[in-house]
Amino acid sequence: MSYQRSSWLCSAISRKYGLTCLRYYSQNTRTTPRAKAQSKIAHIDSQRQFSPALVDSFHRRHDYLRISLTERCNLRCFYCMPSEGVELSPADHILTDDEVIRLANLFVRSGVTKIRLTGGEPTVRKGLDGIIRRLNELRPLGLESIGMTTNGIALHRRLPLYIENGLTHLNLSLDTLDPFKFEIMTRRPGHDAVLHSLRVALHSPGLRSVKLNVVVVKGLNDSEVLDFVKLTADKNISVRFIEFMPFTGNKWDKAKMVPSSQLLDIISREHPSITRAPDELNDTARSWKIPGHTGSLGFISSMSDHFCSSCNRLRLTADGQIKVCLFDAKEVSLRDEMRRGASDGELLDVIGRAVQGKQEKHAGMEDIDVITNRPMILIGGIQPRKSRVRSLPRLPARSYLLGDIRLLPHIYRRWSSSSSQPSLRLTHIGSDGRPCMVDVGSKDATKRSATASGRIYIPGSAYNLVTGSGDADSTDKTIQKARSKGDVMTVAQLAAIMGCKRTSELIPLCHPLQISNISVTLTPERGVCPVSQHDDEGALEYSIKCTATVTCEGKTGVEMEALTAVSVGLLTVWDMLKAVAGKEMKIGEIIVAHKTGGKSGDFTRGP
Ligand code: SAM
């Protein structure tokens, strides 16, 4: 390892850095000759000063470096990547492992004590374990922590190796606890894999901290805040709520950003004893703790209350640009400097000039959205290279509830624009003809109810079985089998109630609702079917009518819930009776009989 002996390297580093390096060194190495030599170097380094190149004109010392290892990602989070995709740098523009390590070494010798690997998605970078191992070798020079921010999709199997190689801090990005919403927000499946990674991380004693990053977006996942808080009850985790930030192409709008203060209000109402906890030095998150909870909460208020005055971070993009502020589009290529043969001293001069150019603070919330910057996924500016547009994801092999997952981004078209639509239209189809959810954010919650009904027509034998009016002691095996499933009506009633509660998971663009009551009845009937519709065997003479009434206090109606209850109830009757009624049964006449509340007023279906 060659060390540059420029003047700053030879003078004394602050006592803090020196002590910390030595402590780490003694904890993490055996006393081999190499280790002794490293210890000596560490001691020399401990006498060195923080490089002026990393101190800006506002006296901020930059001891934290975030290194993006790749522009690629295995998710397509809408807030991070524009829906039209991003343009990838050609492979040879991306820093090689050796270049990453050379720069990391230089930064650490200049005073950086924390390195965080990010992306794109760092776990998709080949040789990540080797990069972590080589970074770990920088500890004797003063590196204290190696962190990684990852989406956790491809993490759980390799995490132990990363930790063994030196990873100490893990930030996992997970914005929702609902697998369906996960696919909407990330445009990809994988919720289970992330939860698995979280479990592995929480059971890894080698990690000094595990944090969960939650970008909160109004109308999407803000209703889950208290569920995330619950995670901290018995898990040693810090859940950090991040304000939604604007980047090129991510359809940011102030109305979709939930200020941290609002979240804190919501949490305080549920947990009045919540208290402020000490922040980590230079941490971007304001920490809070609920007494009795194992974990803690953090708020990253980059938009409403930025933390520029204590900003200590620099970013290195995957293609080797140094970026001194997340919101500043200015970049300087260290890659080009290295490839033209620059010495460490020359590189440090370039870094120093970039750091000197850092603004006191980034633009405020009122005007930050006009800033043109890279999409977040690439922070870690490339000029458009049309031949290398990364398109939206290919359809995964298995189909999902929504059928074509490529439609998911378009759900946001409507959500992302204010509505000036003609009134006669399909509410779930946006002006561009694509599916969308209705934005109910500005509606008032009112009392609503809906009653739906439907029938299943069954043969007489099945009718007798259900009503007990036939041969109760029948030895017919199929009848015994049908009976063994239990009371048809009771099972169907429960199924209807359970199905009703899951409506928003089954019907893609339905909102989840807080239902206050579901009442389901199943009534056997004879001769209700119009004679003209009887089939040859008279199979339609017997039926079971299912009626469901659902009530809620909410912003949207509960007709879908009532219809789902009836459908699931009738399907369950089918399932219970299929052994005796085979395929003779018929389900039909599923209707909304009555509804109250909402803008469209009350409604009762005529005869
Ligand atoms: N792929 C990795 C991941 O998902 O964690 C690392 C890269 S990602 C760009 C790093 C972090 O930035 C994630 O926690 C993500 O949630 C956050 N992020 C991305 N876009 C954002 C935005 N528009 N506003 C706030 N946070 C954002």
Side-chain angles (χ1 to χ4, degrees):
M1 200 182 300
S2 72
Y3 296 110
Q4 194 200 343
R5 305 284 170 189
S6 61
S7 57
W8 59 267
L9 279 176
C10 297
S11 47
I13 204 169
S14 71
R15 208 167 291 137
K16 174 190 164 222
Y17 292 109
L19 287 174
T20 323
C21 315
L22 288 175
R23 194 181 64 237
Y24 268 106
Y25 186 62
S26 57
Q27 276 171 0
N28 290 294
T29 59
R30 280 167 278 134
T31 23
T32 59
R34 181 180 156 82
K36 273 189 197 148
Q38 283 176 328
S39 171
K40 214 167 170 183
I41 293 167
H43 180 70
I44 294 165
D45 281 347
S46 73
Q47 306 305 307
R48 292 177 184 150
Q49 239 175 11
F50 198 88
S51 166
L54 300 191
V55 183
D56 70 8
S57 50
F58 303 96
H59 313 292
R60 291 173 294 203
R61 293 156 62 103
H62 296 82
D63 58 4
Y64 182 6
L65 178 67
R66 296 175 69 101
I67 304 177
S68 170
L69 290 179
T70 176
E71 294 174 350
R72 295 177 183 278
C73 188
N74 40 10
L75 293 181
R76 298 289 185 271
C77 303
F78 80 92
Y79 53 71
C80 188
M81 188 192 280
S83 54
E84 64 277 14
V86 291
E87 305 182 28
L88 292 176
S89 301
D92 64 349
H93 285 207
I94 301 295
L95 293 183
T96 63
D97 290 5
D98 286 347
E99 287 170 332
V100 169
I101 298 299
R102 177 181 172 193
L103 288 175
N105 183 307
L106 178 61
F107 275 103
V108 170
R109 280 185 290 128
S110 307
V112 161
T113 58
K114 282 167 77 176
I115 287 184
R116 175 164 293 276
L117 302 175
T118 176
E121 170 51 38
T123 58
V124 304
R125 166 113 181 191
K126 264 205 200 127
L128 173 62
D129 54 323
I131 292 176
I132 297 175
R133 185 176 35 73
R134 291 174 71 185
L135 288 175
N136 198 42
E137 288 166 5
L138 303 179
R139 284 182 184 282
L141 302 179
L143 183 62
E144 294 176 10
S145 77
I146 304 172
M148 179 161 72
T149 304
T150 165
N151 60 33
I153 291 281
L155 181 69
H156 47 85
R157 252 183 249 115
R158 312 212 94 214
L159 183 59
L161 176 62
Y162 299 151
I163 297 172
E164 192 185 317
N165 286 6
L167 187 75
T168 52
H169 293 69
L170 187 76
N171 287 11
L172 209 59
S173 305
L174 178 66
D175 307 314
T176 173
L177 298 171
D178 174 336
F180 175 65
K181 244 189 253 174
F182 180 87
E183 287 189 29
I184 292 181
M185 294 186 80
T186 65
R187 303 175 180 134
R188 281 280 165 103
H191 195 250
D192 279 355
V194 185
L195 292 180
H196 190 169
S197 294
L198 177 61
R199 282 192 293 272
V200 174
L202 289 171
H203 287 98
S204 300
L207 281 178
R208 283 192 248 151
S209 93
V210 179
K211 296 179 178 168
L212 207 62
N213 284 356
V214 184
V215 178
V216 182
V217 184
K218 189 171 248 142
L220 271 180
N221 61 346
D222 52 336
S223 56
E224 292 186 61
V225 165
L226 292 174
D227 296 333
F228 277 106
V229 171
K230 255 187 223 153
L231 290 182
T232 66
D234 58 355
K235 294 181 180 51
N236 189 9
I237 192 174
S238 167
V239 173
R240 292 134 42 99
F241 298 110
I242 306 177
E243 289 178 348
F244 178 28
M245 298 183 280
F247 296 103
T248 298
N250 78 351
K251 302 198 171 68
W252 184 87
D253 126 24
K254 196 172 151 192
K256 287 182 222 157
M257 200 212 75
V258 189
S260 301
S261 55
Q262 243 176 54
L263 296 179
L264 190 57
D265 277 354
I266 294 169
I267 299 169
S268 309
R269 254 177 265 140
E270 186 74 16
H271 301 279
S273 58
I274 188 170
T275 49
R276 190 82 164 77
D279 296 329
E280 287 169 35
L281 190 69
N282 295 110
D283 195 9
T284 47
R286 309 243 192 282
S287 304
W288 291 76
K289 188 127 178 83
I290 297 172
H293 280 211
T294 311
S296 61
L297 300 170
F299 297 91
I300 302 186
S301 321
S302 336
M303 302 304 298
S304 62
D305 178 17
H306 53 62
F307 30 78
C308 302
S309 64
S310 62
C311 181
N312 66 334
R313 48 196 64 196
L314 298 173
R315 292 165 197 268
L316 186 61
T317 65
D319 59 345
Q321 317 284 320
I322 180 172
K323 218 170 158 48
V324 295
C325 170
L326 191 56
F327 293 103
D328 189 340
K330 278 199 296 298
E331 298 173 351
V332 182
S333 178
L334 297 179
R335 177 201 65 207
D336 291 350
E337 292 296 325
M338 281 192 288
R339 293 187 185 177
R340 74 161 182 79
S343 67
D344 281 3
E346 287 169 327
L347 281 175
L348 204 63
D349 283 347
V350 175
I351 295 168
R353 280 199 296 277
V355 171
Q356 280 304 304
K358 183 162 172 165
Q359 303 292 309
E360 186 177 6
K361 57 183 183 185
H362 66 66
M365 191 163 69
E366 302 311 320
D367 49 9
I368 197 157
D369 52 317
V370 301
I371 287 178
T372 304
N373 201 349
R374 291 181 183 225
M376 183 59 162
I377 185 140
L378 297 181
I379 294 180
I382 45 174
Q383 296 310 307
R385 275 178 293 274
K386 290 202 163 53
S387 58
R388 293 190 54 83
V389 171
R390 173 166 36 190
S391 60
L392 279 175
R394 273 179 292 127
L395 257 186
R398 73 187 170 93
S399 62
Y400 292 91
L401 280 172
L402 280 177
D404 186 341
I405 201 167
R406 282 173 297 192
L407 295 179
L408 287 172
H410 303 292
I411 288 175
Y412 293 95
R413 290 278 158 80
R414 172 138 170 79
W415 166 78
S416 63
S417 62
S418 56
S419 66
S420 54
Q421 313 275 344
S423 58
L424 251 187
R425 63 186 175 84
L426 296 175
T427 52
H428 286 311
I429 301 292
S431 53
D432 56 0
R434 307 236 179 211
C436 64
M437 214 164 166
V438 177
D439 184 352
V440 294
S442 55
K443 284 183 162 186
D444 290 329
T446 58
K447 210 163 179 180
R448 294 154 183 271
S449 80
T451 299
S453 66
R455 281 195 178 84
I456 179 166
Y457 290 94
I458 57 178
S461 55
Y463 181 87
N464 290 339
L465 183 69
V466 170
T467 56
S469 51
D471 175 8
D473 298 325
S474 174
T475 52
D476 185 316
K477 277 199 176 136
T478 51
I479 292 185
Q480 280 176 355
K481 190 175 165 200
R483 278 194 179 137
S484 71
K485 290 196 179 187
D487 175 350
V488 175
M489 307 294 222
T490 308
V491 175
Q493 186 190 26
L494 283 176
I497 293 172
M498 289 167 71
C500 175
K501 289 194 281 192
R502 308 206 80 146
T503 304
S504 67
E505 288 171 50
L506 298 170
I507 313 294
L509 304 173
C510 245
H511 295 83
L513 293 174
Q514 193 68 37
I515 291 171
S516 32
N517 190 39
I518 306 167
S519 138
V520 177
T521 56
L522 286 116
T523 321
E525 295 176 321
R526 278 191 76 170
V528 290
C529 185
V531 174
S532 59
Q533 286 187 25
H534 278 206
D535 66 8
D536 289 343
E537 288 85 40
L540 298 182
E541 193 190 340
Y542 302 92
S543 60
I544 296 173
K545 182 178 182 184
C546 178
T547 306
T549 299
V550 183
T551 54
C552 90
E553 188 135 337
K555 298 181 173 194
T556 68
V558 278
E559 293 94 307
M560 287 307 300
E561 279 67 19
L563 290 165
T564 304
V566 167
S567 306
V568 174
L570 295 174
L571 283 170
T572 305
V573 174
W574 184 298
D575 182 48
M576 302 282 288
L577 293 180
K578 63 182 190 260
V580 291
K583 298 172 189 61
E584 298 159 58
M585 295 178 286
K586 191 170 177 177
I587 290 177
E589 299 166 24
I590 299 177
I591 54 160
V592 173
H594 183 64
K595 70 151 272 230
T596 61
K599 214 166 101 187
S600 61
D602 296 355
F603 160 86
T604 300
R605 198 180 177 97

